[in-house]
Amino acid sequence: MTDDIQQGSSGLVGAASRLITVWALLGGLLLLAVVGVNMVSIIGSVFGKPFPGDFELTEMGVAVAVFTFLPYCQLVGANVSADIFTSGASKRTIAFFTLLGSLVALGFASLLIWRMYFGMLDQKEYDYTTTILQIPHWIAFIPILVSLALLAVAAIVALLRDASALSKG
């Protein structure tokens, strides 16, 4: 399905698909960096010099990385589904449920953008920082909000694709 989205799409849909794919790849690189920090910390602890703040960086890095993958999963239809309930359903019924799932994803993304934005403002206002490295918590909210905005875009793209599939039968 990924090839269909990236090859068959042009204009805004194609640009959004490429941006979402790059964003997910950046999340993968971030996850690799977190693994690297943990490796350095483990090797350093053998020699009595662990990496200070490795737990803080792991916590923030994994949270951000998870959110970077959400738009891509929505775009390619890789979210969790209960196929056991639709295995005997017609293509039209499956298309309807897929459309409904995209609509729920759009609502979910919109709700999270709204609440996470105010969560970020609270973190900034109260000046919450990590204990060891003193990194402000609100900084991690920025890529998470970008991910949620891209999730909303991916849900709209999927909604358009699903509506087209439903209308074709």
Side-chain angles (χ1 to χ4, degrees), residues 2 29 107 110 113 124 127 132 152 166 168:
T2 307
L29 289 175
S110 301
I113 289 169
K124 193 172 181 180
D127 199 30
I132 297 170
L166 185 61
K168 291 178 184 175

Side-chain angles (χ1 to χ4, degrees), residues 112-131:
L112 280 178
I113 289 169
W114 171 45
R115 297 314 309 159
M116 292 290 273
Y117 175 73
F118 287 110
M120 179 186 73
L121 294 180
D122 283 346
Q123 294 287 323
K124 193 172 181 180
E125 181 181 342
Y126 294 117
D127 199 30
Y128 287 128
T129 61
T130 60
T131 306

